[in-house]
């Protein structure tokens, strides 16, 4: 069984994030990491492997499309326990929208399939932590001609059958599918593991492939900002946080002042 987990490299939310002069996200000059929501997808892929009758027959491949530094996202997935890594990196990809990103991911999955045989499961996070589109998994399924089961909070699998729980606002659906399929998982699936020291050392020896667009049969003219269907016209920095209001309790009136404040903000 082959599982491909799509892992995105995103700007670190705790770092100083910036836009480029063309309003694209600065993905090169800012520290980045594996999107936290994709750690859940890696975790679930690893759990499927561990629960398999013969875990050695399951290969988990971490796939990332992104700039040179994005290899760090693949490395983290390898440190967590993924078996192999594929990093698609090409200058022409910069500024790609969902449509181009899903094209590159789909072609990379097809390349993995051509090299290794059937890809049974393509797993994604529920959204990236930067653009938060939540649409790439559906686009990927469409491009690969595969069924999709999205926003899984619980995953069960037996043979080629998969059942997920999908929590909505008013009901939880149980959805079944037959592999091969595309699945996205939510942050409700359970804590993602931390890489162990052993895992970090082992990752150094795991196979890692770096591919350019030409390796996966994508023309540079099909991707990038110039063919994006949407464009960020302008960006404005958030105003700095204002100082909060401090309620002092010097004469015993603190509690009244506090409830008055909360009531004025309609918190109570
Ligand atoms: C209005 C708008 C304008 C934008 N303009 C720009 C721009 O000018 N320049 C720019 O660089 N970006 C831009 N973006 C962001 C860019 O479109 C997205 O980063 C990209 O298309 C993927 O979408 P997403 O991250 O929202 O994916 P989602 O659909 O939220 O991702 C879901 C899952 O798909 C997988 N996935 C998504 N992307 C990757 C990836 N690259 N590698 C591996 N797995 C992946 C992950 O598993 C992820 O959890 C823009 C976004 C918006 C909303």
């Amino acid at each position: 069984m082959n599982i491909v987990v799509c892992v995105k490299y995103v700007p670190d939310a705790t770092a100083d994030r910036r836009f480029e002069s063309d309003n694209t996200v600065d993905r090169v000059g800012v520290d980045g990491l594996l999107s936290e929501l994709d750690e859940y997808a890696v975790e679930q892929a690893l759990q499927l492997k561990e629960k398999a009758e013969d875990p050695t027959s399951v290969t988990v491949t971490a796939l990332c499309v992104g700039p040179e530094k994005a290899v760090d996202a693949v490395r983290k997935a390898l440190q967590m326990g993924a078996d192999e890594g594929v990093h698609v990196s090409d200058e022409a990809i910069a500024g790609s929208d969902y449509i181009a990103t899903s094209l590159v991911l789909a072609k990379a999955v097809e390349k993995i399939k051509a090299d290794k045989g059937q890809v049974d499961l393509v797993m994604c996070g529920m959204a990236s932590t930067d653009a938060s589109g939540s649409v790439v998994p559906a686009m990927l399924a469409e491009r690969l001609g595969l069924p999709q089961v999205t926003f899984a909070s619980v995953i069960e699998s037996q043979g080629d059958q998969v059942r997920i729980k999908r929590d909505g606002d008013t009901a939880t659906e149980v959805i079944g599918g037959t592999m091969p399929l595309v699945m996205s998982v939510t942050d409700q699936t359970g804590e993602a593991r931390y890489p162990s020291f052993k895992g970090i050392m082992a990752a150094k020896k795991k196979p890692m492939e770096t591919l350019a667009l030409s390796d996966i049969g994508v023309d540079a003219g099909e991707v990038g900002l110039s063919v994006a269907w949407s464009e960020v016209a302008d960006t404005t920095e958030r105003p700095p946080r204002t100082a909060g209001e401090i309620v002092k309790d010097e004469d015993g009136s603190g509690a009244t002042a506090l409830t008055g404040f909360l009531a004025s903000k309609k918190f109570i």
Side-chain angles (χ1 to χ4, degrees):
M1 180 176 173
N2 282 320
I3 304 176
V4 174
V5 195
C6 297
V7 292
K8 189 176 180 189
Y9 178 79
V10 297
D12 185 347
T14 61
D16 208 6
R17 290 176 289 176
R18 288 187 298 268
F19 288 95
E20 304 263 21
S21 54
D22 61 1
N23 292 324
T24 59
V25 179
D26 183 354
R27 295 180 191 281
V28 177
V30 175
D31 284 341
L33 38 71
L34 166 62
S35 177
E36 192 194 327
L37 291 171
D38 292 349
E39 290 185 12
Y40 295 96
V42 176
E43 175 62 38
Q44 291 309 310
L46 296 176
Q47 287 194 22
L48 286 173
K49 178 179 167 112
E50 286 157 3
K51 285 179 199 154
E53 227 165 80
D54 175 13
T56 59
S57 68
V58 181
T59 303
V60 177
T61 304
L63 166 65
C64 177
V65 173
E68 219 171 292
K69 282 168 71 177
V71 73
D72 286 355
V74 185
R75 269 201 205 109
K76 173 87 184 274
L78 294 176
Q79 291 169 355
M80 287 172 74
D83 302 295
E84 300 181 11
V86 175
H87 176 208
V88 185
S89 191
D90 198 302
E91 270 181 27
I93 297 171
S96 288
D97 60 1
Y98 308 109
I99 293 157
T101 303
S102 62
L103 172 71
V104 178
L105 283 169
K107 291 288 189 179
V109 171
E110 278 166 10
K111 165 100 170 62
I112 294 168
K113 192 172 156 188
D115 291 348
K116 303 202 169 103
Q118 176 78 313
V119 169
D120 303 281
L121 195 52
V122 180
M123 299 186 72
C124 295
M126 61 192 277
S128 67
T129 55
D130 58 350
S132 325
S134 284
V135 292
V136 167
M139 289 182 165
L140 195 48
E142 180 68 20
R143 288 191 182 280
L144 293 169
L146 295 178
Q148 51 169 309
V149 290
T150 53
F151 298 103
S153 59
V154 176
I155 301 155
E156 288 166 7
S157 85
Q158 188 146 41
D160 63 356
Q161 297 301 303
V162 175
R163 263 155 65 105
I164 66 149
K165 278 193 181 162
R166 191 180 203 268
D167 302 323
D169 287 339
T170 52
T172 294
E173 301 163 324
V174 176
I175 302 173
T178 303
M179 290 192 258
L181 53 77
V182 175
M183 178 192 293
S184 73
V185 311
T186 73
D187 54 356
Q188 300 305 303
T189 44
E191 282 285 293
R193 68 193 68 188
Y194 286 106
S196 62
F197 180 68
K198 198 174 151 205
I200 292 169
M201 297 314 285
K204 294 179 199 276
K205 292 186 189 141
K206 290 182 178 174
M208 163 80 90
E209 195 174 10
T210 306
L211 302 172
L213 285 178
S214 55
D215 298 318
I216 54 171
V218 176
D219 190 279
E222 294 177 274
V223 298
L225 193 58
S226 60
V227 296
W229 285 37
S230 61
E231 179 192 354
V232 176
D234 197 11
T235 59
T236 312
E237 254 185 65
R238 264 197 205 163
R241 280 184 153 189
T242 52
E245 195 169 320
I246 296 170
V247 177
K248 292 195 175 144
D249 188 27
E250 282 158 353
D251 55 2
S253 64
T256 313
L258 186 62
T259 49
F261 172 78
L262 292 173
S264 74
K265 301 286 177 197
K266 296 197 166 46
F267 287 128
I268 55 172

